[in-house]
């Protein structure tokens, strides 16, 4: 039975990676050569198929291992890809233009490619949970943290794009699609720039708000878990400290963004979000690479937690 599960996991992993590779090619053709609605619909269906393939992998891994599949780096990256595919589909639920596709699609293929091609085969195997991880809080805490990382990374990248477009003099490359449409109406290029900046600001604010909420839940659930495991809600562990710093940075972002009334203040909040982008990677990879603190269970290649 274990062999069957392992084979199914490999099949679903390769299917999802193959589909997302095709979706990348479709996006390149759609953007660089010509835009076709049928081709665009294929990319949407491809992301949906990728989502279900990764979902199938997570379910099979969950059944075969007996615990929620977040025990090592490989599983966390697969879960990150799954979360990115969800973020990708959010605009379609609101019948709005998908500004996430240029961020989420490459991010999914990078995480999928790194997890399947770079990590060793040992990392692909489901590990037995150490005693500290054998808790009902594993699913709640780690999933919330990874969902927050996903949303905050996407929102931060949108904010970085906002900064680039705001301060870049030549933006024809980014605004090609809108420019061709509005030139027929005799409008100015500044209007295209304004429209795109407004969309980026709109979505970055909402995605970061979602990520901030998940991060808050993740930190609180982690504190309860820490009290059960180590007898204290907060130990100023490196992972906890950097998670708190990240939380504070995005709290500052939300404060500035909520009180912004002009484009300049939106750029200020976007700058804060770009700092948060770096902090997220410190929380996700940096602390585990150093192998210090309560959140380092063994060496980095063997066990990995959020």
């Amino acid at each position: 039975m274990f062999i069957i599960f392992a084979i199914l996991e490999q099949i679903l992993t390769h299917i999802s990676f193959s589909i997302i590779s095709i979706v990348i090619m479709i996006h390149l053709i759609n953007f660089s050569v010509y835009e076709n609605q049928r081709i665009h619909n294929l990319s949407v269906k491809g992301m949906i198929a990728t989502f279900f393939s990764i979902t199938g992998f997570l379910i099979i891994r969950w059944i075969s291992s007996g615990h929620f599949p977040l025990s090592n780096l490989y599983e966390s990256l697969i879960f990150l890809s799954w979360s990115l595919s969800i973020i990708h589909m959010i605009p379609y639920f609101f019948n709005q233009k998908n500004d996430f596709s240029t961020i989420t699609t490459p991010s999914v293929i990078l995480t999928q490619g790194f997890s399947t091609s770079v990590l060793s085969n040992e990392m692909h195997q489901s590990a037995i949970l150490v005693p500290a991880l054998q808790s009902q809080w594993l699913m709640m805490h780690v999933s919330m943290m990874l969902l927050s990382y996903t949303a905050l990374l996407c929102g931060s990248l949108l904010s970085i794009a906002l900064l680039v477009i705001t301060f870049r003099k030549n933006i024809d490359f980014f605004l090609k699609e809108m420019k061709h449409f509005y030139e027929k109406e005799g409008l100015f290029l500044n209007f295209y720039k304004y429209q795109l900046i407004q969309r980026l600001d709109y979505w970055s604010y909402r995605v970061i708000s979602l990520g901030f909420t998940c991060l808050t839940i993740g930190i609180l659930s982690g504190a309860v878990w820490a009290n059960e495991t180590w007898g204290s809600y907060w130990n100023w562990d490196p992972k906890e400290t950097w998670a708190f710093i990240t939380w504070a940075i995005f709290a500052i972002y939300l404060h500035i963004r909520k009180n912004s009334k002009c484009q300049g203040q939106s750029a200020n909040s976007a700058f804060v979000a770009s700092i948060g982008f770096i902090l997220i990677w410190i929380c996700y990879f940096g602390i585990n690479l150093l192998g210090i603190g309560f959140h380092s269970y063994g060496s980095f290649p063997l066990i990995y937690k959020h």
Side-chain angles (χ1 to χ4, degrees), residues 85-106:
S85 63
I86 293 178
I87 295 290
H88 177 90
M89 293 184 290
I90 286 178
Y92 297 114
F93 297 142
F94 298 94
N95 295 320
Q96 295 194 26
K97 182 177 176 62
N98 191 350
D99 296 311
F100 295 151
S101 59
T102 54
I103 293 175
T104 53
T105 307

Side-chain angles (χ1 to χ4, degrees), residues 75-76 88 90 115-116 139 144 163 165 188 192 225 233 239 254:
E75 292 175 351
S76 73
H88 177 90
I90 286 178
S115 61
T116 56
M139 180 177 177
M144 282 294 104
L163 286 175
I165 294 173
F188 297 100
Y192 326 138
W225 188 5
Y233 288 101
K239 193 85 162 183
L254 293 173

Side-chain angles (χ1 to χ4, degrees), residues 159-291:
S159 295
I160 292 172
L162 186 152
L163 286 175
V164 171
I165 294 173
T166 300
F167 297 108
R168 186 182 176 96
K169 293 180 180 180
N170 183 10
I171 58 171
D172 293 343
F173 180 78
F174 298 93
L175 305 169
K176 181 177 66 174
E177 180 182 346
M178 292 184 66
K179 182 178 179 182
H180 290 331
F181 175 78
Y182 285 111
E183 273 181 349
K184 298 178 181 179
E185 307 296 328
L187 301 177
F188 297 100
L189 185 61
N190 285 338
F191 182 72
Y192 326 138
K193 179 179 178 181
Y194 174 80
Q195 289 288 320
L196 182 54
I197 288 175
Q198 289 299 308
R199 288 211 315 271
L200 290 174
D201 183 55
Y202 173 88
W203 280 115
S204 62
Y205 174 62
R206 278 151 183 78
V207 174
I208 288 177
S209 297
L210 174 64
F212 182 79
T213 302
C214 293
L215 181 61
T216 303
I217 297 173
I219 291 175
L220 292 176
S221 60
V224 176
W225 188 5
N227 184 59
E228 291 184 0
T229 305
W230 301 315
S232 176
Y233 288 101
W234 197 266
N235 300 280
W236 292 108
D237 174 77
K239 193 85 162 183
E240 296 173 348
T241 303
W242 281 102
F244 175 74
I245 294 172
T246 304
W247 184 91
I249 285 294
F250 282 104
I252 294 172
Y253 163 86
L254 293 173
H255 174 74
I256 296 175
R257 173 57 180 76
K258 186 175 181 180
N259 294 281
S260 64
K261 297 180 180 179
C262 62
Q263 180 176 317
Q265 290 179 320
S266 295
N268 291 337
S269 61
F271 178 76
V272 175
S274 66
I275 297 174
F277 177 81
I278 300 173
L279 296 178
I280 296 167
W281 285 114
I282 294 176
C283 282
Y284 188 37
F285 277 119
I287 302 302
N288 293 82
L289 282 172
L290 294 175

Side-chain angles (χ1 to χ4, degrees), residues 44-146:
V44 175
K45 293 177 181 178
M47 286 301 296
I48 295 174
T50 300
F51 168 77
F52 282 111
S53 297
I54 300 175
T55 302
F57 169 87
L58 293 174
I59 293 174
I60 292 173
R61 176 60 70 98
W62 193 349
I63 296 172
S64 63
S65 64
H67 59 78
F68 196 68
L70 289 172
S71 62
N72 56 35
L73 177 59
Y74 174 71
E75 292 175 351
S76 73
L77 285 171
I78 296 296
F79 188 86
L80 191 69
S81 299
W82 181 79
S83 304
L84 285 166
S85 63
I86 293 178
I87 295 290
H88 177 90
M89 293 184 290
I90 286 178
Y92 297 114
F93 297 142
F94 298 94
N95 295 320
Q96 295 194 26
K97 182 177 176 62
N98 191 350
D99 296 311
F100 295 151
S101 59
T102 54
I103 293 175
T104 53
T105 307
S107 298
V108 171
I109 196 171
L110 285 173
T111 52
Q112 285 279 80
F114 182 82
S115 61
T116 56
S117 303
V118 178
L119 297 181
S120 64
N121 290 330
E122 293 181 359
M123 284 290 294
H124 293 183
Q125 305 303 318
S126 179
I128 299 176
L129 294 178
V130 297
L133 296 180
Q134 295 176 6
S135 170
Q136 69 272 17
W137 289 103
L138 173 67
M139 180 177 177
M140 176 70 172
H141 171 62
V142 184
S143 62
M144 282 294 104
M145 294 301 293
L146 283 173

Side-chain angles (χ1 to χ4, degrees), residues 150-164:
T150 304
L152 293 175
L153 284 171
C154 289
S156 298
L157 286 172
L158 290 173
S159 295
I160 292 172
L162 186 152
L163 286 175
V164 171

